[in-house]
Amino acid sequence: AVQLVESGGGLVQPGGSLRLFCAASGFSFRTHDMKWVRQAPGKGLEWVSFIDYTGYGRIFYADSVKGRFTISRDNSNNTLYLQMNALRTEDSAMYYCALGGDPSAPTYNYRGQGTQVTVSS
């Protein structure tokens, strides 16, 4: 069965950095595009970033994170990453890695349990 396990979240001050991890198993990671989505309390699911299966082809970011976040992947270790720099309070949310759906939409076929990111002073 498809399994996606996120980690790396936590509490960070505005302007700080975090690196999120997503360990994938149960499917051929190296042949599937991946994405990150997030959901803040009381808000809908928001698409954050997309990376194609190669890791260096199509890479997209939401305007709200462009220039601050970097998505990457290690196909030899079945791991997806999200490097988040210059964090803002509005980045506080539960972050999920996801598989499937439209590349630049918060749609998916599978999603992990999420990792909480809180940006606060």
Side-chain angles (χ1 to χ4, degrees):
V2 171
Q3 191 168 17
L4 301 168
V5 180
E6 301 92 338
S7 61
L11 174 63
V12 63
Q13 292 186 340
S17 298
L18 280 175
R19 193 181 197 199
L20 304 186
F21 303 82
C22 172
S25 61
F27 66 103
S28 177
F29 181 75
R30 65 179 62 247
T31 63
H32 284 78
D33 304 335
M34 297 293 296
K35 67 175 71 170
W36 288 95
V37 297
R38 67 185 181 184
Q39 187 163 26
K43 296 190 177 181
L45 198 61
E46 178 187 13
W47 169 74
V48 175
S49 184
F50 165 92
I51 188 167
D52 76 0
Y53 68 97
T54 68
Y56 52 85
R58 296 174 298 155
I59 294 177
F60 308 133
Y61 297 97
D63 288 344
S64 58
V65 307
K66 199 172 295 182
R68 301 186 297 121
F69 290 12
T70 302
I71 191 171
S72 61
R73 64 190 295 160
D74 182 347
N75 285 346
S76 64
N77 286 315
N78 291 353
T79 304
L80 178 71
Y81 305 98
L82 186 68
Q83 177 67 44
M84 306 187 297
N85 298 330
L87 283 161
R88 306 167 180 168
T89 55
E90 55 264 39
D91 294 319
S92 296
M94 186 71 80
Y95 283 72
Y96 304 92
C97 65
L99 168 65
D102 293 336
S104 58
T107 55
Y108 54 87
N109 295 325
Y110 299 94
R111 189 189 78 179
Q113 84 292 343
T115 187
Q116 179 68 42
V117 171
T118 302
V119 184
S120 175
S121 56

